[in-house]
Amino acid sequence: MAEEVKSGFVAHLIELRDRLIKSLLSILVIFIAIVYFANDIYTFVAAPLISHLPNTATMIATDVTAPFFAPFKLTLFVALFASIPWILHQVWGFIAPGLYKHEKRMLMPILASSIFLFYGGIAFCYFVVLPIILGFFTSAGPAMLTLAPDISSYLGFVLKLFFAFGVAFEIPVAIMLLCWSGATTTQSLKEKRPYIVVGVFVVAMFLTPPDVLSQTLLALPMLILFELGLILAKFYTAKPQQESEE
């Protein structure tokens, strides 16, 4: 019996290793496919900033290696973001055999919606948040100031915002999973709403750059998504403790 348990554990570790390798390979393949367009990708990401710079202003590189490594780093993150559906597919393939049929039916929409929400958060950040933030920052300084953003600093700023909004938009998924697992209920979350509102602004403070505008633009969608999660969680009841496969 002990040998069977040990062999089963080893088999799970081997499967986990194989799926991790497949996930890393997917990132590598996509990276190789798009690395030729690294400069074009950076130009696209920098477009919201460029559109708000004065005609005489340009972006600069304060490091000799920055013109190469900044687009290279961005392309690697783009490959990672693009690989997320495949990575989640590998996660699903690993955990699905241990689930009941009704659990698979309930979790599949959550998996699909998590991908949609993550990309939706990045798109919201790029098309809505960045133009507002950058328009404010580039016009708030003294008139005699010549703005020349560093490409590496801008990349770090943008990636932090992309990650923050991508993760924050997963709030409905997190709420549905919590309610489905029985860890909490929608009624309990409603009763804790005042504390959650404060917590959302605290989380936004840590996830965004240190300015009130960025924090507010993240906190408000998070609160809306929290309310959406409460609505969707009604369709996910607590998981029964003991069930048998039909």
Side-chain angles (χ1 to χ4, degrees), residues 70-222:
F72 185 88
K73 179 181 178 181
L74 175 61
T75 305
L76 183 61
F77 274 92
V78 170
L80 173 62
F81 291 161
S83 302
I84 285 178
W86 174 252
I87 294 173
L88 290 179
H89 172 72
Q90 295 302 315
V91 173
W92 175 255
F94 182 73
I95 66 174
L99 300 176
Y100 295 108
K101 287 183 178 180
H102 82 281
E103 291 175 334
K104 294 178 182 180
R105 289 194 299 267
M106 295 179 71
L107 288 180
M108 276 299 293
I110 291 181
L111 180 65
S113 62
S114 65
I115 298 173
F116 173 79
L117 287 170
F118 182 81
Y119 288 143
I122 295 178
F124 178 80
C125 178
Y126 180 82
F127 290 105
V128 178
V129 176
L130 279 181
I132 295 175
I133 293 177
L134 297 175
F136 171 77
F137 286 153
T138 54
S139 62
M144 78 289 292
L145 179 66
T146 301
L147 185 63
D150 176 65
I151 60 174
S152 298
S153 298
Y154 176 74
L155 177 60
F157 173 81
V158 169
L159 288 179
K160 186 175 182 180
L161 282 178
F162 283 167
F163 179 77
F165 277 85
V167 172
F169 270 55
E170 300 291 339
I171 288 177
V173 173
I175 292 176
M176 286 188 290
L177 286 175
L178 288 172
C179 293
W180 172 76
S181 65
T184 186
T185 62
T186 56
Q187 184 60 34
S188 177
L189 291 174
K190 289 178 181 179
E191 294 173 355
K192 296 180 176 65
R193 185 181 281 119
Y195 306 100
I196 292 175
V197 171
V198 176
V200 163
F201 278 91
V202 173
V203 171
M205 179 180 65
F206 284 102
L207 291 179
T208 59
D211 64 275
V212 177
L213 184 59
S214 301
Q215 296 165 10
T216 304
L217 289 174
L218 177 59
L220 292 180
M222 288 175 68

Side-chain angles (χ1 to χ4, degrees), residues 5 33 41 47 50-51 69 123 139 141 158 208 215-216 224 241 246:
V5 173
I41 294 172
I50 298 298
S51 63
F69 279 109
S139 62
V158 169
T208 59
Q215 296 165 10
T216 304
I224 295 174
Q241 296 296 322
E246 292 181 3

